[in-house]
Amino acid sequence: MAVVGAGSWGTALAIQLARNDNDVRLWARDEAAIAAMARDRENSRYLPGCPFPERLTPEPDLARAVAAADDVLVVVPSHALRACLRSLRDLLADSQRVIWATKGLEPESALLPDRVAAEELGAARATAVLSGPSFAGEVGRGMPTAVTIASADADFARDMAGAFHDGVFRVYTASDVVGVGVGGAVKNVLAIAVGISDGLGYGANARALLITRGLSEMMRLGEKLGGERGTLVGMAGLGDLLLTCTDDQSRNRRMGLALAAGHDVESAEREIRQVVEGVRVAREVHRIAEQLGVEMPIASQAYRVLHEGVSPPEAVRRLTDRPFRSEKD
């Protein structure tokens, strides 16, 4: 297996694959970082304290990494996915399949990763998505985790499940690629909203409100785009939403906490020191919700705090001032 992208999540998944007796080549654009990983046998920048298994090889040459693999796992932020797939397109053999662990929507187009992949790799290429409630550090340390792998190709989903699944890393298979993609994107935005609420000291009641009604927003958008309701109350929807909203390992939650404390987006991102996917995805979720006429008030207020200068307390006031309604709406 070739793993393209050596941030914290890509590194953790590479470790899991190699731990599970797969030969893995881990590639990153930064050759100095790859050299350091080969020397130290860990990714000391993004995943310190998680040593590489013997079967994990840092690889500075993308073509060589892909040529040595049966399948390719892409783990890059959503804004970099298209360029990454385009760079892979001419390197892939017809038989090689592509799975991604990218969570988000493409900037400007608001396309889910599966649509980006279809445009860049062609509809005939077997593809899949891996998503679910999973912090990289815990996966890297071998702590119990469960994820979903979804593909229209049931054989590919089963093959990938077999590559990852062991006694502590559990994999569920599915066919609903759209639902998994929506869950992975929207939960980032909702986690920022929950972080803002918690940072303002609004308590556990407000947190439960935002998560529960946020799930309703996620399901409305998912179903509108063709996803399945069952997917969005499963591991890649509700499971990932709960994790990202409630634990400070979440970069998106930490962004919300920082905004509530008076930081601006740029200074908060500098402090977090990694991509905060929800900042960019909030714009695309807002865009697509308006285009499709899907009501998403929590995600909308998160967008306005991030991109329109609305203060966190004002965003909360706008939510709490909304009239009462049926819970089924």
Side-chain angles (χ1 to χ4, degrees), residues 29-47:
R29 189 178 301 278
D30 187 339
E31 292 189 11
I34 288 291
M37 284 184 258
R39 181 190 66 237
D40 301 337
R41 300 299 300 167
E42 74 169 25
N43 188 336
S44 57
R45 178 179 181 185
Y46 290 119
L47 204 67

Side-chain angles (χ1 to χ4, degrees), residues 81-82 85 100 106 109-123 127 177-178 225:
L81 180 61
R82 185 179 293 274
L85 294 176
W100 59 85
E106 184 178 50
S109 72
L111 289 176
L112 287 164
D114 68 294
R115 296 310 310 151
V116 176
E119 289 183 2
E120 292 300 324
L121 302 179
T127 59
V177 175
V178 171
L225 290 170

Side-chain angles (χ1 to χ4, degrees), residues 163-311:
F164 280 101
H165 187 99
D166 63 14
V168 294
F169 193 93
R170 184 169 183 81
V171 180
Y172 295 90
T173 59
S175 59
D176 182 16
V177 175
V178 171
V180 170
V182 171
V186 176
K187 62 94 181 183
N188 290 321
V189 183
L190 298 173
I192 292 175
V194 172
I196 289 172
S197 177
D198 283 356
L200 292 172
Y202 289 147
N205 292 351
R207 185 186 313 126
L209 182 161
L210 290 169
I211 292 172
T212 305
R213 295 307 299 172
L215 177 62
S216 295
E217 294 185 17
M218 181 188 290
M219 289 194 292
R220 283 198 292 271
L221 181 63
E223 290 182 296
K224 189 74 170 182
L225 290 170
E228 299 172 10
R229 194 175 187 87
T231 302
L232 294 162
V233 296
M235 300 301 298
L238 176 59
D240 210 358
L241 177 65
L242 287 170
L243 183 81
T244 311
C245 287
T246 59
D247 193 286
D248 288 349
Q249 293 178 77
S250 163
R251 285 170 272 173
N252 294 286
R253 173 178 165 80
R254 295 204 310 272
M255 171 59 71
L257 293 170
L259 294 171
H263 296 281
D264 60 28
V265 172
E266 290 75 18
S267 66
E269 283 196 306
R270 285 195 299 271
E271 185 174 320
I272 293 168
R273 296 190 298 174
Q274 292 190 56
V275 172
V276 181
E277 192 72 49
V279 173
R280 293 156 183 79
V281 173
R283 191 188 303 276
E284 307 315 318
V285 168
H286 180 71
R287 185 199 313 273
I288 198 169
E290 288 207 325
Q291 288 174 351
L292 296 176
V294 178
E295 191 174 15
M296 301 184 71
I298 298 169
S300 176
Q301 290 307 318
Y303 159 77
R304 290 190 163 87
V305 171
L306 290 163
H307 298 292
E308 292 187 350
V310 172
S311 72

Side-chain angles (χ1 to χ4, degrees), residues 1-226:
M1 176 79 76
V3 178
V4 178
S8 57
W9 189 216
T11 303
L13 290 174
I15 288 172
Q16 173 58 27
L17 285 165
R19 185 190 286 140
N20 207 27
D21 295 329
N22 299 284
D23 290 317
V24 181
R25 292 184 181 240
L26 175 63
W27 177 88
R29 189 178 301 278
D30 187 339
E31 292 189 11
I34 288 291
M37 284 184 258
R39 181 190 66 237
D40 301 337
R41 300 299 300 167
E42 74 169 25
N43 188 336
S44 57
R45 178 179 181 185
Y46 290 119
L47 204 67
C50 298
F52 288 177
E54 183 178 344
R55 298 179 74 167
L56 173 54
T57 303
E59 172 57 68
D61 186 279
L62 179 60
R64 193 159 55 220
V66 171
D70 292 327
D71 299 303
V72 178
L73 169 63
V74 175
V75 195
V76 297
S78 59
H79 66 270
L81 180 61
R82 185 179 293 274
C84 181
L85 294 176
R86 189 167 293 169
S87 70
L88 286 170
R89 185 168 53 197
D90 294 334
L91 302 176
L92 292 167
D94 290 344
S95 61
Q96 286 177 301
R97 303 169 296 185
V98 176
I99 178 172
W100 59 85
T102 296
K103 298 177 180 180
L105 299 171
E106 184 178 50
E108 304 305 326
S109 72
L111 289 176
L112 287 164
D114 68 294
R115 296 310 310 151
V116 176
E119 289 183 2
E120 292 300 324
L121 302 179
R125 176 85 54 188
T127 59
V129 55
L130 182 155
S131 190
S134 45
F135 287 132
E138 294 187 10
V139 172
R141 293 191 295 275
M143 300 173 72
T145 301
V147 299
T148 296
I149 291 178
S151 177
D153 184 326
D155 289 337
F156 187 26
R158 283 192 295 269
D159 288 349
M160 288 297 96
F164 280 101
H165 187 99
D166 63 14
V168 294
F169 193 93
R170 184 169 183 81
V171 180
Y172 295 90
T173 59
S175 59
D176 182 16
V177 175
V178 171
V180 170
V182 171
V186 176
K187 62 94 181 183
N188 290 321
V189 183
L190 298 173
I192 292 175
V194 172
I196 289 172
S197 177
D198 283 356
L200 292 172
Y202 289 147
N205 292 351
R207 185 186 313 126
L209 182 161
L210 290 169
I211 292 172
T212 305
R213 295 307 299 172
L215 177 62
S216 295
E217 294 185 17
M218 181 188 290
M219 289 194 292
R220 283 198 292 271
L221 181 63
E223 290 182 296
K224 189 74 170 182
L225 290 170

